[in-house]
Amino acid sequence: MGRLRGRDAGARAGMLFGMTTLKSALQDDLTAAIKARDELRSATLRMTLTAITKEEVSGTSARELSDDEVLKVITREAKKRREAAEAFDEGGRSEQAKRERAEGEILAAYLPQQLSDEELDAIVGEAVEEARANGAEGPKAMGAVMKLAGPKVAGRAEGGRVAAAVKKRLTS
């Protein structure tokens, strides 16, 4: 197998080491965006793939991320875009805020459907009842309820939103 350069080397490396399906979908979409000369989409996907690669090489040894771990990275990147858009709005830079929101929408396409408020309240309600059955009561039960609700909402609701719903349910 002769020496490969550039794009061919990257493609070969992906074949040899088996890429996660979500990461390879991102890379395929990046290729399509570059070919379509879609600057916003290609820049967003490039930044996201860079964050994924950075996560893969962090720690003591390089490793391949699972789809769940890739999803967490995408979620983190989308949250950064939302927060940046808010900050730009507060700073009076509406053009930059608009771009950040557009990047967030591109990333949202790769995330699972977010829970509605009603669905989140139902899950939190179940977790509160389960915690009460285990002896946890009042505001002090927050940690126990979060521990029960966390896996049920994983990736489908932001932690702050879940915490607010739990707090509301425990104080009412």
Side-chain angles (χ1 to χ4, degrees):
M1 187 187 333
R3 225 174 112 135
L4 298 172
R5 295 178 196 264
R7 191 175 60 143
D8 293 333
R12 178 75 62 206
M15 284 184 239
L16 293 176
F17 299 114
M19 233 170 259
T20 61
T21 55
L22 188 54
K23 184 179 175 185
S24 57
L26 284 167
Q27 289 178 326
D28 292 345
D29 291 350
L30 173 61
T31 303
I34 291 169
K35 287 179 180 176
R37 298 193 187 288
D38 185 344
E39 189 274 329
L40 177 68
R41 180 174 287 279
S42 60
T44 303
L45 294 176
R46 251 192 209 113
M47 281 190 280
T48 305
L49 285 165
T50 300
I52 291 167
T53 303
K54 187 175 178 184
E55 188 77 18
E56 286 176 334
V57 298
S58 67
T60 54
S61 63
R63 62 192 176 85
E64 190 75 31
L65 295 182
S66 69
D67 270 356
D68 286 342
E69 292 169 317
V70 170
L71 204 57
K72 286 178 184 173
V73 173
I74 295 171
T75 303
R76 191 171 54 227
E77 291 296 309
K79 182 178 179 187
K80 284 180 190 176
R81 299 305 182 286
R82 274 194 306 279
E83 291 172 351
E86 290 170 14
F88 282 127
D89 274 338
E90 289 171 15
R93 296 181 61 191
S94 60
E95 275 302 309
Q96 194 65 34
K98 190 172 142 187
R99 181 179 172 95
E100 292 291 335
R101 280 196 189 86
E103 289 179 2
E105 288 171 16
I106 290 169
L107 293 176
Y110 297 96
L111 297 173
Q113 184 67 37
Q114 294 292 298
L115 291 172
S116 68
D117 290 338
E118 294 79 27
E119 292 170 319
L120 181 61
D121 285 340
I123 291 172
V124 167
E126 291 171 20
V128 167
E129 293 307 315
E130 200 174 324
R132 285 188 176 141
N134 293 335
E137 280 290 326
K140 293 179 182 172
M142 180 90 174
V145 175
M146 287 296 289
K147 196 177 281 186
L148 293 168
K152 294 177 183 175
V153 299
R156 298 183 302 154
E158 234 176 68
R161 210 174 131 215
V162 177
V166 169
K167 196 173 201 176
K168 179 180 156 198
R169 195 65 170 245
L170 288 174
T171 55
S172 63

